[in-house]
Amino acid sequence: LNDNELSRERHLEAWRKNRKCIKKRVRCITTGKEFDSIKEAGDYYNIKHNEMITRCCKGKQEYTGKISRQKLKWEYID
């Protein structure tokens, strides 16, 4: 594979991995509300960058989003 093909393969792999995360069920620990997907949760709380919810669920970030000045914390639902 040439450099362009390798770059494209890496990009596709990252996209596939991200899609799997977006489809995972999540819970807002702060409010107790559950969602069927990260996208649904982001839309509900008007969080523009859904990957931030993923970062919270993976423990890479403490919170993302706020409601009534409360920081929203997140976790995956098994």
Side-chain angles (χ1 to χ4, degrees):
L1 296 174
N2 66 35
D3 288 342
N4 285 340
E5 290 170 330
L6 283 172
S7 178
R8 181 172 165 23
E9 285 299 316
R10 287 186 191 121
H11 177 76
L12 284 172
E13 183 60 32
W15 180 81
R16 286 184 195 111
K17 186 176 180 181
N18 189 41
R19 290 293 302 159
K20 288 178 186 174
C21 289
I22 288 173
K23 290 184 178 185
K24 287 186 176 182
R25 290 179 42 86
V26 293
R27 175 185 300 115
C28 177
I29 297 168
T30 309
T31 63
K33 186 150 179 64
E34 296 181 1
F35 300 91
D36 289 330
S37 70
I38 290 172
K39 181 178 181 343
E40 181 184 338
D43 290 348
Y44 185 85
Y45 287 113
N46 198 28
I47 297 171
K48 294 179 183 178
H49 300 286
N50 293 330
E51 68 271 9
M52 298 308 212
I53 296 173
T54 301
R55 289 179 53 80
C56 290
C57 291
K58 290 182 175 182
K60 295 181 179 182
Q61 185 170 320
E62 185 181 349
Y63 74 94
T64 189
K66 289 185 180 181
I67 187 167
S68 300
R69 297 186 182 174
Q70 286 186 304
K71 297 174 182 177
L72 301 178
K73 297 183 179 185
W74 300 90
E75 66 183 355
Y76 287 125
I77 300 172
D78 293 328

